[in-house]
Amino acid sequence: MCRFNLILLQEESGEKLLKSEGYSMFYENLLGLKAYQAGYCNCGSFVGSMIEKKGMSYEKALATMKREKLERLYLVRELLYQPNYEEMKESYEQRRDALLQELQPFWEQISNYEMKQMEELEDKFPGDELLKEREELYTRLGDMTQEIELEPEYVIKQEAYQSFLRENAIMNDSVIYYKTKEEEEKSSPNSIPLSELLGFEFEEEMEEIEGTMPFRMIDMEPQSMVIDEVIAREENDTYKSHKEEYEEYRQLFERLLEYTPSLRFATIWSETKELQNVKTVDINSFQIDDLAFLDYNEMVTITK
C-alpha cells in the first residue's frame, strides 16, 4: 500500500503536458475528472507529511517535527547502549512476531486475491481498459479491507498488536539502528551497492527517469543506520527537498493553468475514498503549507 499524489483535470488539453512529465492516467473518472499520477508511488513525497501539526505554520511545524525526531533518536541511542539491550531486543522481537503472525491470515486472503486478479486483468485487457478494470479492482480490495477491519476477531488482534507497539515505541524504533559501523556491516556482510547490482547503466537510467518526475526521487543508495550518523544527519538536515518539491509542483501547476482554468491536487492512500475539497486557492497564493498539511482523501483546487 502506498501514497499516491493525483492531479485531476477536466480538459484533456493538459494531458499531453502531464505525460511529458512522466504522468499516466490513474483514474479515468474521479469526480467527473481524469486523475493522473507519476512514478510507481509517492511514498517519498513531503505532501501530507505534517498533517499531525495542522494548525501551525509550515516553518513552526518543521521546527517542531525536527525537535521531536531528535528527542526520539536520543532516546533510541540511550537504549542501544543499555548493557542488556540485545536480550531486551530478542524478547521484544519474539513477542512482536507472534502478534503479527496472528494477523497474517487476515491479510493473506486479500493479497492472494489481488495477485490473482491482477495477473488475470493484465492478460485480458490492454491500455485504457486495464486502467478501468484496475480501478474497479482497487474498489473491491478497499471493500474487502473494510470488511476485515470490522471483524471482531481482527479488531481484538489488531488492538493487541498496536497496544504492544505503543508500549514499546522506542524499542520498536531501535531495531533498525546500530551502535557502530562494524555492527552494520556485520549485519549485511554480503550487501552489494544497488548500482552494481543493477548494472553499469543504472545511474544513467535513473537520471533519465528522475528527469521526467515531478519531484526528486528518493535516494536509491542506502544511508548509514549507525545511530550517531543518523542523529548527525537529522541535526544538519534543512529539509531543502520539501521546498524543492513544492516549487516543482508549483511550476507544473502554472504550466497546466495555461491549458485549463483550474485543476485539483489530491493525495490518497492506496485507493481513493470520498475526496473532500479543503481549499480553493489561486496559483499566486498557493503556498507550501497547502501541500504539507493535506491529509489523505483531501484535495486543494488551484485556479489561475
Side-chain angles (χ1 to χ4, degrees):
M1 294 186 178
C2 298
R3 177 186 290 274
F4 296 102
N5 295 337
L6 306 177
I7 295 177
L8 291 79
L9 296 177
Q10 185 166 17
E11 292 83 358
E12 294 184 3
S13 54
E15 184 175 30
K16 184 176 180 180
L17 172 58
L18 284 178
K19 287 185 175 179
S20 73
E21 294 293 326
Y23 282 80
S24 58
M25 192 185 300
F26 199 79
Y27 286 105
E28 187 175 10
N29 184 356
L30 184 58
L31 304 177
L33 307 173
K34 291 184 177 181
Y36 302 85
Q37 185 268 337
Y40 179 77
C41 72
N42 303 114
C43 288
S45 172
F46 93 103
V47 173
S49 63
M50 296 186 178
I51 191 62
E52 293 181 359
K53 312 298 181 191
K54 193 168 186 176
M56 298 182 181
S57 68
Y58 168 78
E59 296 298 338
K60 185 175 181 180
L62 181 62
T64 303
M65 183 184 73
K66 184 181 179 76
R67 186 187 70 247
E68 290 174 351
K69 286 178 72 174
L70 282 169
E71 287 172 352
R72 196 158 175 131
L73 285 169
Y74 295 148
L75 290 174
V76 168
R77 179 167 60 184
E78 183 179 337
L79 179 60
L80 285 172
Y81 279 91
Q82 291 292 320
N84 61 336
Y85 171 73
E86 291 301 328
E87 290 79 7
M88 291 190 294
K89 176 183 174 183
E90 182 177 358
S91 175
Y92 162 80
E93 290 181 329
Q94 288 177 352
R95 178 58 180 155
R96 179 201 62 191
D97 293 347
L99 291 169
L100 278 173
Q101 193 65 33
E102 293 182 12
L103 286 167
Q104 189 66 20
F106 294 97
W107 297 114
E108 280 183 348
Q109 55 185 300
I110 290 182
S111 60
N112 291 340
Y113 176 79
E114 180 180 11
M115 289 178 62
K116 181 179 179 181
Q117 290 298 306
M118 282 301 296
E119 288 177 0
E120 292 180 1
L121 293 179
E122 288 171 358
D123 288 341
K124 290 181 180 178
F125 300 99
D128 290 343
E129 288 183 70
L130 177 59
L131 290 173
K132 185 176 180 180
E133 292 294 329
R134 185 180 68 174
E135 182 177 341
E136 293 177 0
L137 172 60
Y138 285 154
T139 299
R140 292 198 300 275
L141 291 171
D143 292 340
M144 290 173 65
T145 299
Q146 290 179 352
E147 290 174 6
I148 285 176
E149 290 174 345
L150 292 174
E151 291 182 20
E153 186 180 0
Y154 173 84
V155 171
I156 293 171
K157 293 182 184 297
Q158 176 69 0
E159 177 52 34
Y161 175 64
Q162 293 298 329
S163 177
F164 175 76
L165 292 183
R166 288 192 296 269
E167 292 168 4
N168 297 274
I170 303 303
M171 174 60 78
N172 185 56
D173 287 355
S174 75
V175 298
I176 65 172
Y177 298 109
Y178 305 91
K179 288 188 291 185
T180 66
K181 197 68 177 175
E182 290 73 23
E183 282 186 8
E184 184 175 40
E185 291 173 351
K186 185 178 180 181
S187 72
S188 53
N190 298 317
S191 62
I192 302 172
L194 187 58
S195 57
E196 292 182 20
L197 185 64
L198 298 181
F200 72 94
E201 295 180 346
F202 168 74
E203 291 184 3
E204 292 182 3
E205 291 174 357
M206 289 306 299
E207 287 176 2
E208 291 178 6
I209 293 172
E210 188 168 325
T212 68
M213 302 301 290
F215 56 85
R216 182 179 59 85
M217 295 181 68
I218 300 174
D219 293 335
M220 298 297 288
E221 292 291 345
Q223 293 183 308
S224 170
M225 296 306 289
V226 175
I227 187 63
D228 286 329
E229 295 185 30
V230 174
I231 289 173
R233 285 201 303 269
E234 183 61 33
E235 289 174 336
N236 296 316
D237 195 347
T238 63
Y239 288 86
K240 180 182 177 183
S241 61
H242 286 197
K243 293 186 178 179
E244 290 176 342
E245 183 179 347
Y246 159 70
E247 286 296 339
E248 286 165 1
Y249 271 129
R250 182 188 178 91
Q251 290 171 20
L252 177 60
F253 296 161
E254 287 176 344
R255 294 166 65 195
L256 282 169
L257 289 172
E258 295 176 6
Y259 299 92
T260 180
S262 67
L263 61 91
R264 294 183 181 185
F265 180 88
T267 190
I268 64 173
W269 180 252
S270 186
E271 48 90 20
T272 185
K273 297 179 182 177
E274 260 188 63
L275 290 179
Q276 177 186 4
N277 191 68
V278 294
K279 188 174 185 179
T280 298
V281 59
D282 68 78
I283 189 65
N284 293 322
S285 303
F286 178 62
Q287 299 179 343
I288 193 170
D289 305 52
D290 297 324
L291 297 183
F293 300 113
L294 196 66
D295 205 353
Y296 290 122
N297 299 311
E298 289 186 343
M299 61 184 174
V300 56
T301 298
I302 303 163
T303 64
K304 290 184 178 180

